[in-house]
Amino acid sequence: MIVIEQVGPLATIQDLGRPGWFDSGVGPAGAADRGSLRLANRLVGNPEGHAAIEVLLGGFALHAEEHVMLAVTGAAAPATVDGRPVGHASVLELEPGQGLRLAYASVGLRSYIAVRGGIDVPRTLGSRSRDTMSGLGPEPLAEGARLPIGPSPHTIPVVDFAPVAELPGDIVTVRAMLGPRDDWFTGAAALFDGLWSVSPDTDRIGARLDRRTGPPLTRKDTRELPTEGMALGSIQVPPSGQPVVFLADHPITGGYPVIAVVIDADVDAIAQARPGQPVRFVRTA
């Protein structure tokens, strides 16, 4: 077991989600930054999809009841073990009673804590992920929660440190493809002009954006759009004209037009963008 001592703004259990349930009205959920979850699991020798802890911003602490191996990736929140600073994206060993503490990250939004063996809570529809929109999966973590650890995998860690690129502290650049409803806008290419800013209202459902510099998005077709499917990374534009980039817990259908879709490789980057951080869209074919 590991025991949660402190929870910052939000901490949830996440794996790579529950794909395959769209026909039942259930979205995939899973880690908002899938690459960081996979890296944390690889560092401790887990299969990439094992359940880990997703920590929003930081302010998180836990202690071990027995020897555990873990790794912290994603947003580089300063980490300590019993007050001793430890490296980011490196393999850490906790003896019984020792504690890991994450301060608040200055860059990036979400950190990931993987434990060798994975967090072994019950599955819902094949996944241990918390879906904050539907309420499926384990409850968000709270102080005093005790989390069971699964059996140690047969694989062993092959590195004790992974050099990773730093998350951008300024402009986040993401690639997007126009469509499928770009023809509902007057000059849809305006999406790629100037800069946007991440709104304070951003969450696991979507990164809400405010116009920072550049022209507004203006609809030329004001008809009501029939409800249609929504993909991860869809950039939906409500009547306000302020787009929302759908993230892990996004609704599977929506009634506002999708002007463009962020390519899959860049969804993790937008999931790590902090409120107030500038975002630039780059058009791709």
Side-chain angles (χ1 to χ4, degrees), residues 13-139:
I13 296 171
Q14 300 293 340
D15 53 24
L16 290 178
R18 49 180 66 84
W21 292 94
F22 268 41
D23 58 351
S24 299
V26 177
D33 179 350
R34 297 158 296 170
S36 291
L37 174 77
R38 290 186 174 107
L39 174 60
N41 274 318
R42 289 201 305 271
L43 281 167
V44 296
N46 287 339
E48 290 185 346
H50 267 30
I53 301 172
E54 181 182 275
V55 178
L56 181 66
L57 286 175
F60 183 87
L62 59 78
H63 73 262
E65 291 190 336
E66 58 188 43
H67 174 268
V68 296
M69 177 185 294
L70 48 79
V72 184
T73 60
T80 58
V81 171
D82 283 358
R84 175 177 57 86
V86 292
H88 183 68
S90 60
V91 176
L92 308 175
E93 305 271 356
L94 265 62
E95 300 301 331
Q98 285 192 309
L100 169 73
R101 183 174 296 273
L102 300 185
Y104 285 92
S106 59
V107 175
L109 197 58
R110 296 175 170 96
S111 302
Y112 293 83
I113 304 172
V115 182
R116 183 167 171 82
I119 306 297
D120 194 21
V121 296
R123 291 183 174 93
T124 302
L125 300 180
S127 170
R128 296 182 170 95
S129 284
R130 175 65 177 182
D131 185 329
T132 59
M133 185 172 187
S134 70
L136 287 174
E139 292 295 319

Side-chain angles (χ1 to χ4, degrees), residues 217-285:
L217 298 179
T218 306
R219 277 181 58 171
K220 66 180 180 182
D221 192 330
T222 58
R223 292 176 298 159
E224 184 174 343
L225 179 69
T227 298
E228 55 189 6
M230 292 290 142
L232 179 69
S234 294
I235 306 174
Q236 189 186 67
V237 184
S240 66
Q242 304 307 108
V244 181
V245 182
F246 280 149
L247 300 178
D249 292 352
H250 68 87
I252 66 170
T253 61
Y256 297 131
V258 171
I259 191 171
V261 180
V262 173
I263 68 169
D264 188 73
D266 288 356
V267 170
D268 289 355
I270 198 73
Q272 287 287 7
R274 297 164 68 95
Q277 192 164 7
V279 173
R280 174 186 291 121
F281 291 109
V282 174
R283 185 172 180 175
T284 186

